[in-house]
């Protein structure tokens, strides 16, 4: 109930390709290299928008691919970098790598950003490969592939409003009729053992998070009953919804109930009573409720608004929800996290991986894999001899040839890398 979760695929933009080109100007018979670098691919960035409450948008779209960088151009011009793809998430969002469980971000404050997938670097154009030995290189890099990964997005809901009151006054019933939450409801005390949260959608497309808390009784602040351990949730809510059984079903006096609960809140944390409080007079469908309400209003000293409702017949709910949404718009969010945060990390570096590994296919072919090697390969322009030669040199420097030899590779043996095959040459 507390955590909403979605799995999503993200792919940052690939870098643009570097260009091979040569100057062809009048009067300069042997123009030098002039191919520019490709632009960087777009990052995928998450940004907190405090206006959001749910991960709903990610339920509708689960694939996100960011734009690639522009290719390099002639006359040494860089391709343009792609603008980052910024996705809005609600406060309380946590992002993890689905495969490794690696913690990627903990987003709590409005405007806070985290890099979720890094765009690829633009490939270098042939200008960059010029050297005294090779003044006219026919070589350019392709763009680096953008990071792609499956991620788990989790939302730790932060309640905007909290329902407080004696046991069995109908707190869970109220939550169940205004949200998709399905808390347990019964006519005995302490039916609710832990807070339930639900997202409430008003008829006019606004939404807020409502917490249904276990019932409070006298002495709750000293640890009697269950409620006290959950009062810390009330500390963070912006509005207190005080639910009262106006039918006095259990023979108690509604106004005395009201005083008793406020005393508990006051004893737990005096600042809670400074918060706006809305009184919900519930069970108005019952015979005596109207008379009780009149008596209650006569005794009430505080200027708290009172909303007579019946959670059972759903009478009076729409007005209550509109009023809550209106009030919330006037009160800034409290972004102080409930739990002590164990992790403050936003970026975590990748664990060092082996640059490549070798296995064998059933037909005896050697198979090369590994992020670093695959990335270098993807950046190689296979249509140009010089590029292929450069890749061979890179493999030799990384120790691939030596490792293949040690695994028993002989001249003419097949070596596979991604979808390609080569011959091992001694
Ligand atoms: N007549 C009537 N009964 C209601 C209404 N709302 C709730 N009830 C009944 O009151 C009883 C208690 O309801 P709950 O919603 O479980 O009460 P709660 O405040 O969550 O109780 P705890 O979880 O124990 O603190 C149930 O039998 C409900 O059916 C109402 O508007 N009218
Ligand atoms: Mg309950």
């Amino acid at each position: 109930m507390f955590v909403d979760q979605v799995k999503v695929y993200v792919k940052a933009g690939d870098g643009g390709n570097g260009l091979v080109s040569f100057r062809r100007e009048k009067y300069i018979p042997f123009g030098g290299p002039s191919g520019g670098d490709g632009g960087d691919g777009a990052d995928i960035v998450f940004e907190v928008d405090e206006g959001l409450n749910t991960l709903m948008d990610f339920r509708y779209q689960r694939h996100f691919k960011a734009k690639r960088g522009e290719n390099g151009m002639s006359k040494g011009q860089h391709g343009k970098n792609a603008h980052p793809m910024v996705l809005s998430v609600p406060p309380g969002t946590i992002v993890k790598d689905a495969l490794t469980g690696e913690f990627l971000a903990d987003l709590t404050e409005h405007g806070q950003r985290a890099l979720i997938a890094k765009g690829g670097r633009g490939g270098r154009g042939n200008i960059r490969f010029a050297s005294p030995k090779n003044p006219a290189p026919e070589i350019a890099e392709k763009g680096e592939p953008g990071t792609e990964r499956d991620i788990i997005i989790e939302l730790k809901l932060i309640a905007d409003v909290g329902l407080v009151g004696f046991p069995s006054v109908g707190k869970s019933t109220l939550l169940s009729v205004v949200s998709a939450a399905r808390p347990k409801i019964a006519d005995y005390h302490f039916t609710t053992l832990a807070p339930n949260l639900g997202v409430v959608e008003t008829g006019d497309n606004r939404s807020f998070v409502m917490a249904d808390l276990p019932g409070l009784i006298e002495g709750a602040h000293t640890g009697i009953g269950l409620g006290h351990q959950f009062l810390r949730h009330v500390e963070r809510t912006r509005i207190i919804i005080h639910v009262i059984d106006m039918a006095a079903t259990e023979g108690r006096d509604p106004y005395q109930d009201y005083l008793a609960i406020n005393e508990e809140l006051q004893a737990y944390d005096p600042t809670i009573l400074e918060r706006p409080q809305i009184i919900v007079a519930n069970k108005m469908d019952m015979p005596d409720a109207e008379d009780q309400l009149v008596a209650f209003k006569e005794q009430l000293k505080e200027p708290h608004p009172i909303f007579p409702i019946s959670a059972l017949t759903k009478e009076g709910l729409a007005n209550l929800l509109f009023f809550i949404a209106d009030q919330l718009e006037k009160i800034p969010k409290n972004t102080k996290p409930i739990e002590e945060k164990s992790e403050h990390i936003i970026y975590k570096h990748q664990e060092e991986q082996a640059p490549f590994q070798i296995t064998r296919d059933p037909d005896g072919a050697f198979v090369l894999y590994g992020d670093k090697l695959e990335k270098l390969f993807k950046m190689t322009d296979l249509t140009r001899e010089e590029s292929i030669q450069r890749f061979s040199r890179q493999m030799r420097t990384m120790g691939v040839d030596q490792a293949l030899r040690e695994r028993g590779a002989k001249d003419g043996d097949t070596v596979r890398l991604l979808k390609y095959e080569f011959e091992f040459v001694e």
Side-chain angles (χ1 to χ4, degrees):
M1 258 338 284
F2 266 109
V3 180
D4 196 12
Q5 204 184 53
V6 250
K7 187 172 168 186
V8 163
Y9 167 82
V10 290
K11 163 93 175 65
D14 298 338
N17 299 331
L19 180 74
V20 173
S21 84
F22 296 94
R23 282 199 305 265
R24 293 185 217 294
E25 290 161 30
K26 269 185 186 172
Y27 316 118
I28 306 179
F30 305 107
S34 68
D37 299 348
D40 296 339
D43 293 338
I44 295 184
V45 171
F46 279 16
E47 184 180 84
V48 177
D49 177 347
E50 65 183 6
L52 296 175
N53 263 327
T54 67
L55 298 175
M56 208 68 90
D57 297 346
F58 292 100
R59 297 210 179 279
Y60 296 125
Q61 194 187 345
R62 289 172 187 250
H63 276 68
F64 295 90
K65 273 182 95 170
K67 280 212 181 104
R68 54 173 298 141
E70 207 177 29
N71 291 339
M73 290 169 286
S74 58
K75 296 179 186 161
Q77 285 185 81
H78 273 247
K80 281 201 192 77
N81 296 339
H83 289 296
M85 179 182 226
V86 180
L87 302 174
S88 298
V89 294
T93 298
I94 288 171
V95 188
K96 290 179 193 154
D97 187 299
L99 197 67
T100 63
E102 182 193 351
F103 191 84
L104 300 174
D106 182 356
L107 293 152
T108 53
E109 268 155 64
H110 185 66
Q112 190 186 347
R113 284 183 162 210
L115 177 69
I116 301 301
K118 179 107 190 81
R121 171 174 69 73
R124 285 174 291 180
N126 70 334
I127 298 181
R128 309 273 226 110
F129 292 92
S131 64
K133 248 170 72 185
N134 187 2
E138 289 212 25
I139 178 171
E141 273 171 339
K142 299 212 311 193
E144 179 187 28
T147 305
E148 62 184 309
R149 56 181 12 148
D150 285 314
I151 55 170
I152 303 277
I153 308 175
E154 280 181 2
L155 175 61
K156 271 203 224 156
L157 290 176
I158 298 169
D160 297 303
V161 299
L163 301 176
V164 300
F166 269 91
S168 296
V169 297
K171 300 180 296 299
S172 301
T173 309
L174 175 56
L175 181 73
S176 75
V177 293
V178 298
S179 77
R182 289 291 164 260
K184 194 171 163 197
I185 294 166
D187 59 2
Y188 54 85
H189 286 193
F190 301 118
T191 310
T192 303
L193 301 174
N196 296 299
L197 271 72
V199 178
V200 180
E201 314 245 354
T202 58
D204 55 357
N205 278 325
R206 291 180 290 173
S207 70
F208 55 87
V209 179
M210 183 183 271
D212 159 33
L213 302 168
L216 293 170
I217 52 175
E218 280 107 340
H221 73 279
T222 63
I224 297 175
L226 283 174
H228 80 287
Q229 39 182 322
F230 304 109
L231 280 171
R232 63 200 170 89
H233 288 275
V234 178
E235 281 180 81
R236 305 195 62 203
T237 60
R238 291 182 282 157
I239 295 178
I240 308 288
I241 313 274
H242 193 147
V243 185
I244 292 170
D245 176 354
M246 207 47 83
T249 317
E250 301 185 5
R252 286 190 313 264
D253 174 56
Y255 186 67
Q256 292 307 319
D257 275 9
Y258 165 80
L259 293 180
I261 294 296
N262 277 342
E263 248 166 62
E264 288 310 317
L265 296 176
Q266 156 98 31
Y268 178 79
D269 175 358
T271 66
I272 292 182
L273 291 191
E274 291 163 15
R275 221 151 308 163
Q277 193 173 118
I278 297 173
I279 296 172
V280 167
N282 192 29
K283 308 200 185 180
M284 290 307 292
D285 55 287
M286 299 283 278
D288 290 338
E290 282 298 341
D291 293 345
Q292 295 276 9
L293 180 62
V294 172
F296 182 90
K297 282 182 174 165
E298 278 169 9
Q299 296 172 82
L300 185 71
K301 291 177 196 69
E302 293 80 6
H304 298 322
I306 304 178
F307 283 82
I309 67 155
S310 166
L312 206 67
T313 65
K314 304 184 183 173
E315 206 97 2
L317 295 180
N319 280 343
L320 170 65
L321 300 187
F322 285 137
F323 185 77
I324 294 172
D326 288 346
Q327 296 308 108
L328 283 172
E329 280 172 7
K330 297 177 199 156
I331 313 167
K333 288 211 177 192
N334 177 357
T335 51
K336 197 184 82 201
I338 301 180
E339 277 107 337
E340 293 307 309
K341 256 195 283 158
S342 51
E343 285 161 296
H344 290 276
I345 315 146
I346 294 186
Y347 298 96
K348 198 175 152 187
H349 61 244
Q350 294 259 304
E351 272 163 48
E352 196 63 45
Q353 278 186 331
F356 68 90
Q357 277 171 302
I358 302 174
T359 55
R360 297 194 72 168
D361 272 350
D363 64 355
F366 294 85
V367 182
L368 294 172
Y369 64 98
D371 282 353
K372 186 173 173 201
L373 182 65
E374 286 172 19
K375 190 185 272 183
L376 281 176
F377 182 66
K378 286 180 184 163
M379 295 176 76
T380 302
D381 178 359
L382 298 175
T383 64
R384 292 188 188 271
E385 187 56 30
E386 267 188 60
S387 294
I388 296 170
Q389 280 171 12
R390 176 164 176 261
F391 181 64
S392 316
R393 282 197 303 278
Q394 285 169 325
M395 285 214 288
R396 209 171 310 130
T397 318
M398 282 169 80
V400 177
D401 290 30
Q402 186 56 30
L404 282 169
R405 223 172 273 127
E406 281 162 16
R407 288 286 301 246
K410 301 260 170 345
D411 204 39
D413 282 351
T414 305
V415 177
R416 296 202 173 104
L417 172 55
L418 295 168
K419 288 181 201 121
Y420 294 83
E421 287 193 354
F422 316 85
E423 250 178 45
F424 185 68
V425 186
E426 272 298 353

